[in-house]
Amino acid sequence: MTNNQNTGKVIRFGAYDVDRAGQELRKFGLRIKLQPKPFQVLVILLERAGTTVTRDELKKLLWNPDTFVDFDHGLNAAVNKIRDALNDSADHPQFVETLPNGYRFKGVIDVANPIAPGTAIPGPDVAKHSVSRPPFWRPRAEVIAIATVCLLLASLFAVRYQHAFFSQPKLNVKSIAVLPLRNLSGDPSQEYFSDSLTDELITQLAKTSTLRVVSAASVMRFKNGDASIPEIGRRLNVDAFVEGSVLRSGDQVRITAQLIDAATDRHIWADDYHGEMRDILILQNTIATAIAAKVQAGLSTSDRQKLGQSHQVDPRAYDAYVQGHGHWMRSKMFRGDSDDLKKSGEEFQQAIAFDPSYAAAYAGLANYYGLLAGAGDIGSKDAWKLCEEAARKALALDGSSAGAHHALATKLMYYDWDWVGAEREIRLGIEADPHYAELHNVYAHFLAYNGHFDESIAEAHRAEELDPLGERTSVQRALGYSRRYDLLLPEMEKAFRS
């Protein structure tokens, strides 16, 4: 059915007809309640039946630019209301199909035979089993009484056992990835802020011990790309995604997040959060806790304590830290770009100047010095000394800083050759954040250097599992150290194909 065939005032499909002039959805001639926004979305899908209508197109057509903050949440809610009205299913759609970048109406449309408003036409099963009765037939009083009692009992039963019948099935989500949050400020210079929030949300979610959370180094590779949800799901090997948007205006910030089933692209949950910049760490923890609860991640007491550790932060310090972290991430992704690396150090130092009690800034500075020392950009001895000083200051402020444990472990291992101290810091870091891919990679090196090759290979696999795209060579190095050349070649071929 081409688009220009769907231009009549009434569009009919199956038992339904949509009266555009009267803004009504009817089933067998009887009106079905549908709010204005879902109705408008349905009309657009019907007008372009059989073709994909992208989310961006729907946004431009139906959402006022002043309300774009709520677009993702609003569109998801609208589509869910359409499916409810049509008794449709996201998993097995009869009418509205979810595609990686939008939606498509897949039903059969008949614009030539609309049902007249107010004409109650029985469905096929009703017509088949209906019987004729005398003109003035009325049910007897006792029948009415029995029917009333039955309805009352049925209502009481439904209220008592509604959770058993209507509760959602348990989600089997064991792995998750947070896709790069979209910057809605309209200012490209604010990209660093949305990127950093993506990374911080990953860090918070990683505190749940029962979820595998893909690292930021891997997900950031899909920023501004055109890969579909199923394709990203296959490459990252995850069960679900978190996607969303960020809007920052002065000292206010608003974050919209939604949870998506990777296999079906079905929207599982969506919500939005807003507050002051000084409460940004609390907002991040709130979102991570909500997601963990939704996927029923089975939070332990320790997990709850980790997620509950949040505090206010000076907005200027946080701003400098996230800019520094953004430069740090780009430097790592592009193999040590010296300009980005230099800027990261400057921003971390600025964050500390604004808030000397900000542990994350010291951890960032420690890793900055560690990378400088490894690259030989300044005197290694001085760089390693500064790395250790910043790491120990971070740990004095926050003993659970995995980043600080990582920086200190690398200094102890690569410069001091203090194997006992390095292993201690690695283990403490992994205990604080089991999903810190770089710690598992460092541990793989440590184990190989000490002749524990099987354990080294296992840790390398763990690092690659957590960061499929950022740690692709970790397993290859571990196999090379252990001289397992029979397994090394297939790994290299796999990396080449990906």
Side-chain angles (χ1 to χ4, degrees):
M1 184 70 65
T2 60
N3 293 350
N4 59 11
Q5 290 176 285
N6 301 333
T7 57
K9 292 183 179 180
V10 178
I11 301 177
R12 181 180 181 186
F13 54 97
Y16 301 89
D17 64 298
V18 172
D19 182 353
R20 283 182 284 195
Q23 294 192 339
E24 286 188 353
L25 169 66
R26 297 185 290 268
K27 181 176 183 180
F28 297 127
L30 300 177
R31 182 180 179 183
I32 298 175
K33 184 178 180 181
L34 190 61
Q35 292 89 342
K37 190 66 72 176
F39 184 86
Q40 293 170 344
V41 173
L42 176 58
V43 167
I44 291 175
L45 295 177
L46 287 168
E47 289 173 344
R48 295 177 53 181
T51 62
T52 301
V53 183
T54 68
R55 295 173 69 88
D56 285 341
E57 287 177 295
L58 289 168
K59 176 181 178 181
K60 292 175 183 177
L61 289 169
L62 298 178
W63 266 261
N64 188 300
D66 295 334
T67 60
F68 58 86
V69 172
D70 291 326
F71 166 69
D72 287 323
H73 191 184
L75 180 56
N76 297 338
V79 172
N80 287 335
K81 284 182 169 60
I82 292 171
R83 287 185 171 131
D84 288 342
L86 301 180
N87 195 26
D88 202 10
S89 164
D91 296 330
H92 304 286
Q94 181 182 1
F95 299 117
V96 180
E97 180 182 20
T98 301
L99 298 173
N101 62 338
Y103 301 94
R104 180 180 67 176
F105 186 87
K106 58 181 293 187
V108 178
I109 292 179
D110 179 7
V111 296
N113 298 297
I115 303 172
T119 304
I121 301 177
D125 292 337
V126 177
K128 180 179 178 181
H129 298 291
S130 61
V131 295
S132 60
R133 296 187 175 91
F136 300 101
W137 180 88
R138 294 287 186 274
R140 297 175 62 183
E142 57 267 29
V143 175
I144 295 176
I146 294 172
T148 302
V149 172
C150 290
L151 286 173
L152 179 60
L153 291 174
S155 299
L156 292 173
F157 182 84
V159 171
R160 174 65 178 84
Y161 296 103
Q162 60 178 322
H163 296 293
F165 284 96
F166 301 109
S167 60
Q168 295 182 348
K170 183 176 181 179
L171 300 171
N172 187 27
V173 175
K174 302 298 182 185
S175 54
I176 199 166
V178 181
L179 296 180
L181 300 176
R182 292 185 297 280
N183 167 31
L184 297 182
S185 69
D187 180 2
S189 68
Q190 289 290 315
E191 287 294 322
Y192 77 89
F193 185 70
S194 57
D195 289 349
S196 180
L197 282 183
T198 301
D199 183 59
E200 289 298 313
L201 185 54
I202 289 170
T203 300
Q204 296 302 319
L205 273 174
K207 293 178 180 180
T208 59
S209 56
T210 59
L211 274 177
R212 177 174 70 85
V213 185
V214 175
S215 75
S218 282
V219 299
M220 281 301 178
R221 295 170 189 268
F222 296 99
K223 183 178 174 67
N224 300 324
D226 56 1
S228 66
I229 288 291
E231 180 183 351
I232 299 174
R234 286 191 297 271
R235 294 192 65 185
L236 297 182
N237 189 29
V238 293
D239 301 321
F241 290 101
V242 175
E243 69 172 11
S245 56
V246 181
L247 178 67
R248 180 181 177 183
S249 178
D251 290 334
Q252 299 294 313
V253 62
R254 189 164 188 170
I255 306 171
T256 299
Q258 56 186 328
L259 186 64
I260 302 172
D261 188 313
T264 64
D265 198 18
R266 178 173 61 93
H267 293 265
I268 301 170
W269 163 89
D271 210 339
D272 64 308
Y273 304 82
H274 55 89
E276 296 183 3
M277 271 296 299
R278 65 179 60 255
D279 294 322
I280 187 65
L281 302 181
I282 299 172
L283 285 175
Q284 293 166 1
N285 283 356
T286 301
I287 297 170
T289 302
I291 294 169
K294 190 62 183 179
V295 301
Q296 301 174 353
L299 293 178
S300 65
T301 301
S302 175
D303 291 338
R304 290 191 179 90
Q305 290 175 346
K306 291 176 183 177
L307 284 170
Q309 294 171 353
S310 58
H311 54 83
Q312 291 186 330
V313 62
D314 187 318
R316 299 170 301 169
Y318 183 83
D319 199 58
Y321 168 76
V322 297
Q323 291 199 57
H325 191 71
H327 287 300
W328 164 259
M329 290 294 296
R330 283 190 291 276
S331 174
K332 289 203 57 156
M333 287 175 63
F334 298 109
R335 303 301 178 188
D337 181 282
S338 58
D339 190 46
D340 267 317
L341 186 58
K342 179 183 177 181
K343 289 179 180 177
S344 74
E346 292 171 351
E347 293 293 348
F348 289 140
Q349 289 171 330
Q350 186 66 56
I352 292 169
F354 283 129
D355 187 351
S357 64
Y358 195 10
Y362 285 102
L365 189 62
N367 280 291
Y368 157 75
Y369 283 127
L371 193 56
L372 274 182
D377 285 2
I378 62 174
S380 294
K381 181 178 180 180
D382 292 337
W384 281 125
K385 180 181 178 182
L386 293 170
C387 169
E388 180 172 3
E389 287 178 357
R392 292 196 182 280
K393 178 63 175 178
L395 291 171
L397 293 166
D398 178 7
S400 65
S401 173
H405 285 299
H406 171 263
L408 185 54
T410 56
K411 191 267 182 180
L412 295 173
M413 184 168 72
Y414 294 121
Y415 184 73
D416 295 336
W417 289 50
D418 179 356
W419 304 112
V420 174
E423 185 173 24
R424 179 187 65 248
E425 295 303 322
I426 291 170
R427 288 183 175 276
L428 287 172
I430 291 176
E431 181 181 347
D433 183 356
H435 303 86
Y436 201 113
E438 290 175 311
L439 273 168
H440 290 280
N441 184 38
V442 169
Y443 200 19
H445 282 265
F446 173 90
L447 291 167
Y449 296 159
N450 286 275
H452 302 292
F453 298 116
D454 289 342
E455 294 92 331
S456 172
I457 294 170
E459 282 298 319
H461 275 294
R462 179 61 173 157
E464 186 177 16
E465 181 184 51
L466 292 168
D467 189 358
L469 304 182
E471 298 290 350
R472 287 187 296 179
T473 61
S474 183
V475 175
Q476 296 175 35
R477 289 195 298 268
L479 292 171
Y481 291 146
S482 63
R483 300 183 181 181
R484 295 297 304 274
Y485 304 121
D486 57 322
L487 299 176
L488 177 58
L489 183 58
E491 280 292 330
M492 295 177 68
E493 290 175 344
K494 183 179 74 173
F496 180 78
R497 289 194 301 269
S498 63

